[in-house]
Amino acid sequence: MDIEVKDHEILIWTDSKSIAEKLGAKYMSGRKYKLPKTIEAVKDLRDFTGKPELKELYEKMARMKAHLFDIKQLTNAGLIRKWTLDLRPYQRVDLKFLSKLPHAAVFNEQRTGKTPTLLSLLRYREFTRNLIVVPAGLKLNWEKECAKWLPGIKVFVIRGPKKQREKAYQSMVSAVAFVAIISYDTLKAEGEIEKILQATPYFDSMTVDEAHNMRNRKSKRTEAIMKIGKRAKHRYALTGTPSVRDGHDVFPILQFLYPKKFTSYWAFVERYFEM
């Protein structure tokens, strides 16, 4: 069996379909199959092949997992910045934890302050171009929280008729640092993504609030989020209810965060769930 480890996936070449299925690999073409580069997949391959390079990779990933786990056991991450004193101790722990990840989901329970934690992360990492997708009824709250937690950063709320939205996009072009807040329904409107990308070709961060609304992976709103998410360097998802009906509701969230790692819904379900 030949193996190639890439940034987000592992490619394997084998003549045995049964072995590939046992490993949970997705068929690509010819003898080639694909696995997501997760610690579980690396462990399975390590145990099956015994290859030294997979053992080293697994140990590296395990050390990172242990390091992140150690952070989550803290009761207070200490003073990261003076302004973080306004956060609760567990929010400072979450801030330190999230700062170690390129993309992340925050699945804390409702009323635990996910919004201040996320905005503090944007401030801590000094992101300048930020997009936040929210349900329409939460735009005002996010605007208020941005003013509190991101002082000095311009906030654009994309709302109203076409001319009003276009004016906001035009203002984004010259802004040094900004947060753009847009609703799910506005984002999926015809031509809206193109207008956003004309204003800014990329985002330092993209956040999806109430991310369980993406559970229908074939809906227009989810497709719009996935499309523009590819233009974001860092992606975050917030929800207190990641699985509304079934555990695999979480797949679109994972695909938004890591689109190159979680490419197939059915491969994900077959690997992690019993149907």
Side-chain angles (χ1 to χ4, degrees):
M1 178 184 293
D2 296 321
I3 297 174
E4 180 183 357
V5 179
K6 305 185 81 171
D7 289 342
H8 301 283
E9 62 191 17
I10 303 171
L11 301 177
I12 64 174
W13 285 262
T14 178
D15 291 318
S16 175
K17 181 179 179 181
S18 61
I19 289 176
E21 291 178 344
K22 183 177 180 181
L23 292 169
K26 177 187 176 184
Y27 177 72
M28 300 295 290
S29 62
R31 300 173 56 245
K32 185 167 66 173
Y33 295 81
K34 179 173 68 173
L35 283 166
K37 188 182 174 183
T38 63
I39 191 169
E40 296 88 356
V42 172
K43 181 179 183 298
D44 289 346
L45 275 174
R46 179 206 65 179
D47 294 343
F48 183 79
T49 66
K51 289 182 178 290
E53 60 268 30
L54 292 173
K55 180 180 178 182
E56 293 175 5
L57 177 59
Y58 174 78
E59 290 175 350
K60 180 180 178 181
M61 296 175 77
R63 285 195 298 270
M64 174 56 75
K65 181 179 179 180
H67 174 61
L68 293 172
F69 187 77
D70 287 343
I71 292 175
K72 291 298 289 183
Q73 303 314 300
L74 298 174
T75 56
N76 193 330
L79 182 61
I80 300 175
R81 297 284 191 277
K82 184 177 180 179
W83 50 266
T84 62
L85 285 174
D86 293 331
L87 294 170
R88 300 163 187 164
Y90 69 83
Q91 289 175 310
R92 289 196 286 273
V93 172
D94 286 349
L95 173 57
K96 185 172 183 178
F97 178 86
L98 294 170
S99 70
K100 304 292 183 180
L101 301 170
H103 320 285
V106 182
F107 291 165
N108 294 351
E109 294 180 2
Q110 297 179 12
R111 304 296 178 184
T112 53
K114 292 186 288 293
T115 300
T117 299
L118 185 282
L119 294 177
S120 296
L121 176 66
L122 304 187
R123 182 175 180 180
Y124 178 70
R125 302 198 67 175
E126 299 180 345
F127 293 152
T128 57
R129 295 173 176 268
N130 306 280
L131 177 67
I132 301 176
V133 184
V134 304
L138 296 180
K139 286 189 293 186
L140 184 61
N141 180 68
W142 272 95
E143 182 180 18
K144 177 181 176 182
E145 292 295 310
C146 284
K148 177 180 179 181
W149 295 99
L150 296 173
I153 292 183
K154 186 70 176 177
V155 179
F156 299 108
V157 182
I158 312 302
R159 59 188 166 198
K162 181 179 178 180
K163 288 186 177 180
Q164 184 177 343
R165 301 198 306 273
E166 290 182 346
K167 184 176 180 181
Y169 293 140
Q170 291 171 3
S171 299
M172 285 166 55
V173 174
S174 58
V176 176
F178 68 84
V179 174
I181 302 171
I182 190 169
S183 71
Y184 283 91
D185 290 337
T186 301
L187 182 66
K188 73 177 184 180
E190 184 176 354
E192 206 70 23
I193 290 178
E194 287 72 18
K195 294 174 185 176
I196 294 172
L197 296 178
Q198 287 175 3
T200 177
Y202 74 92
F203 292 95
D204 291 314
S205 79
M206 178 177 175
T207 300
V208 178
D209 190 24
E210 303 293 347
H212 54 271
N213 286 303
M214 298 167 59
R215 64 185 179 275
N216 181 354
R217 67 187 191 282
K218 296 182 179 181
S219 70
K220 289 185 177 180
R221 63 169 57 175
T222 301
E223 290 176 352
I225 289 170
M226 298 296 182
K227 182 176 181 180
I228 200 166
K230 295 177 181 178
R231 299 297 188 100
K233 295 181 179 179
H234 303 276
R235 295 175 291 275
Y236 304 99
L238 313 182
T239 175
T241 52
S243 297
V244 177
R245 300 166 302 185
D246 300 293
H248 42 85
D249 283 347
V250 77
F251 174 78
I253 297 176
L254 296 177
Q255 189 175 48
F256 164 69
L257 297 175
Y258 294 94
K260 294 182 179 180
K261 183 176 292 187
F262 296 99
T263 58
S264 168
Y265 169 77
W266 288 110
F268 172 79
V269 169
E270 288 172 4
R271 180 172 182 82
Y272 295 105
F273 293 88
E274 294 182 2
M275 300 298 288

